[in-house]
Amino acid sequence: MTPRVLVVEDFEILARSIATGLRREGMAVDVVAAGDAAIERLAVNRYDVVVLDRDIPGVHGDEVCR
């Protein structure tokens, strides 16, 4: 089974770099730039790992983590 990862990062260049590296390792990657979008994705999809920036727009990363 392919690991599924959610990357939550508002700095687009960094998010793209992380996603590219993970995809090269064979992982399925979704990327969002805000906390509210992360919560929506987490409610719909099952992820093996979340790479979470704490300082993101909308809902703060600490709240997303809780």
Side-chain angles (χ1 to χ4, degrees):
M1 179 192 295
T2 302
R4 189 161 187 173
V5 180
L6 176 62
V7 175
V8 186
E9 172 58 62
D10 60 327
F11 188 56
E12 186 179 342
I13 295 169
L14 181 56
R16 194 173 335 138
S17 289
I18 293 168
T20 298
L22 292 171
R23 289 180 181 125
R24 284 184 183 155
E25 294 299 319
M27 298 179 198
V29 181
D30 292 331
V31 178
V32 296
D36 50 346
I39 290 172
E40 289 175 14
R41 290 285 180 104
L42 289 164
V44 174
N45 300 308
R46 294 191 68 179
Y47 292 97
D48 298 296
V49 174
V50 177
V51 178
L52 177 62
D53 180 5
R54 292 181 63 221
D55 189 22
I56 51 177
V59 179
H60 193 272
D62 290 345
E63 289 301 313
V64 174
C65 187
R66 283 188 198 107

